[in-house]
Amino acid sequence: MSIAAPVHTEKVPPFRNEPFADFSRREEREAFKRALADIHARFPIEAPLLIGGKRVETAEKIDSVSPSDTSLLCGRSASAGEAETDKAVAAARRAFDDWSHTPAEERAGLLLRAAALMRKRSHLFAALEVYEAAKPWREADADVAEAIDFLEFYAREALRLSGRKRLQPYILGEHNDLSYHPLGVAAVIGPWNFPLAIPVGMSSAALVTGNTVILKPAEQTPLVTWLYARILEEAGVPAGVFNFLPGRGEVCGARLVRHPDVQAIVFTGSKEVGLLIQREALAAQQDGLPFVKKVVTEMGGKNALIVDSSADIDAAVPDAIYSAYGFAGQKCSALSRLILLDDIYDVCLKRFQEAAESLRIGPAEDPGTQLPPVIDDEAAAKVNKYIGLGRESARTIYVGDVGSLAEKGHFVPPAIFEVDSSKHRLAQEEIFGPVVAVLRARDFDDALRIANSTPYALTGGVHSRTVSHLERARLDFQCGNLYLNRTITGAIVARQPFGGYRLSGIGAKAGGPDYLKQFMVARAVSENRMRHGSAPLEEHATETWEEF
Ligand code: NAD
């Protein structure tokens, strides 16, 4: 199989992060407003399944409505049942042999072309996210930039890891090398909260390493992921190599996980579903599969920011506010526990409360909005339940008022509760909304103890001017991404490789140097070349050296 225009490795410039849109410039704001109008004029967008290069409709549809205004139908997607899921797996399986033998330069070329196409339409992608996921302008733009980064970064990573790496070349007469090979069919199951970047990152990593892919987007955000599928088509992805399968998690997601021809499952979402997928994949194993399914599950967090007595409160408070309430707290990295040391507790909490009170709540398409609605009515009900729990069992510091907005969309108020125990449910459970539990710590040791007291380990932060505290946090703060004297969200590809451990996930960090290896097996070959010629006379393949 050959797709057009492989890249020439030596001509690929070094990786650079995609710049964010500069909305301080009037022309950029005007361009984005035009993109919002443009995408709005295309509603309702229809997103079919894409199986074996063909678009497939289903009788059942999934409506995609705007969380800011539930009367606005952005579009609808097809909904794959088990039969369609099986067809998608069969198509991916048929395509695997050719794709796995396609040179890495061609596979990387596909990602680079997709990145260029996405860059050209970045405002359109972001505008759709504003409506479909209720991401405010900057957050939507950042999600698109991250998606482009993943395509660019993983293309380069695939080139770096491709070919044979010669090992210990000084061993005379024996030739040793190591090379990486794809696993097979990969099921990629995505969340709605980074509806482009996360599905793009997981699926492009699987594709560029030679696996064939079935991408199942979240039910809430199939449309923006469908635009990505169309870009891959345009970039020349061969039929069956990439299949797009919107549908219900418990139907097509569950079928993908158990399917005997699916070799890798790459998931980002909640802890409950992630752990279920781990169990289901293992259960499918007992059916006599000739391989162990590779399962990567990135899950939730209960992230803490510690502010100590030496911190610059003027910097800590805005960082805490943005980390907690950006995208209404619906980031896996969002701050949901604020741990304040005793001697600055009152002053810091008061400033935090005042800043929360000033947050502007509104629809995502309004450029002034700081707190958009949550994704759907289920999410709103869950957040309101936790607010009820807070009112009953904690000290209420602040619960905002969404007024009549709640009649229009899934708006919930920002909330702050003081809890007196790190065991309190508000300090233990992922809420995934704009609710913060504030805890008082006696000293820095106590603050770290509280921070480490949940089963999650995703992000965390410290605001402090005491170097020994920052050093201590590096050693003892249990989280995959630690942020010192800054916000605790907004990881950037290749700069802050992202991912947690414990119940926050199992897998290599996204956007980091280990990520692609999860999608491959390594083979080592040792050949005795002493006194052997080759007949007929042939050259061995060229190799690069790898020092371990
Ligand atoms: P979710 O677990 O509800 O859904 C995620 C995906 O799983 C969806 O596509 C859904 O359809 C699918 N699914 C549901 N049931 C399934 C089943 N039985 N079998 C297979 N697939 C199934 O999560 P969500 O609400 O979309 O996303 C929010 C969650 O994601 C939060 O917990 C957040 O912390 C987490 N998250 C984690 C990271 C990370 O990198 N660690 C990043 C983003 C989001």
Side-chain angles (χ1 to χ4, degrees), residues 523-540:
R523 287 192 210 143
V525 176
S526 183
E527 181 183 348
N528 174 8
R529 288 191 183 167
M530 191 72 90
R531 293 195 293 128
H532 289 284
S534 59
L537 210 57
E538 287 172 338
E539 291 288 319
H540 276 88

Side-chain angles (χ1 to χ4, degrees), residues 299-547:
M299 304 181 286
K302 189 69 193 172
N303 312 302
L305 173 70
I306 298 173
V307 184
D308 81 3
S309 328
S310 68
D312 176 353
I313 308 254
D314 288 340
V317 167
D319 284 352
I321 286 286
Y322 181 72
S323 303
Y325 298 113
F327 191 35
Q330 301 173 104
K331 299 180 190 175
C332 50
S333 51
L335 184 169
S336 62
R337 293 179 296 151
L338 183 60
I339 303 172
L340 306 177
L341 263 72
D342 197 29
D343 38 7
I344 46 104
Y345 188 90
D346 293 329
V347 63
C348 194
L349 179 55
K350 185 161 180 292
R351 301 264 303 269
F352 183 68
Q353 176 191 341
E354 284 166 1
E357 283 171 1
S358 75
L359 284 171
R360 193 160 147 192
I361 308 172
E365 54 271 27
D366 178 343
T369 288
Q370 291 167 299
L371 197 92
V374 293
I375 191 73
D376 56 20
D377 49 2
E378 216 180 294
K382 186 177 163 195
V383 171
N384 284 323
K385 222 167 110 195
Y386 276 104
I387 290 177
L389 174 72
R391 288 189 198 277
E392 280 165 20
S393 61
R395 185 162 86 93
T396 303
I397 304 296
Y398 172 62
V399 176
D401 181 10
V402 296
S404 61
L405 282 170
E407 290 156 24
K408 203 152 188 231
H410 305 300
F411 290 89
V412 293
I416 306 170
F417 296 102
E418 180 187 75
V419 298
D420 54 12
S421 160
S422 59
K423 300 263 183 319
H424 195 286
R425 284 182 57 202
L426 290 180
Q428 285 289 322
E429 297 171 16
E430 188 185 45
I431 300 172
F432 226 55
V435 180
V436 174
V438 184
L439 296 112
R440 185 190 296 262
R442 284 188 306 278
D443 51 29
F444 197 70
D445 278 353
D446 193 36
L448 274 180
R449 180 195 59 75
I450 295 169
N452 292 337
S453 67
T454 78
Y456 295 103
L458 193 49
T459 69
V462 177
H463 256 280
S464 168
R465 285 185 287 202
T466 307
V467 173
S468 60
H469 285 175
L470 300 179
E471 288 298 320
R472 177 81 203 288
R474 283 173 179 269
L475 284 179
D476 292 331
F477 200 142
Q478 295 289 324
C479 58
N481 285 70
L482 176 65
Y483 297 99
L484 304 177
N485 289 322
R486 50 153 290 174
T487 55
I488 70 165
T489 62
I492 289 188
V493 170
R495 194 176 307 162
Q496 292 113 13
F498 187 78
Y501 53 96
R502 300 213 298 221
L503 289 188
S504 291
I506 179 157
K509 284 185 176 295
D514 307 318
Y515 193 72
L516 290 195
K517 290 186 185 168
Q518 303 182 109
F519 297 85
M520 298 186 283
V521 285
R523 287 192 210 143
V525 176
S526 183
E527 181 183 348
N528 174 8
R529 288 191 183 167
M530 191 72 90
R531 293 195 293 128
H532 289 284
S534 59
L537 210 57
E538 287 172 338
E539 291 288 319
H540 276 88
T542 49
E543 283 143 350
T544 52
W545 283 17
E546 184 92 338
E547 292 293 342

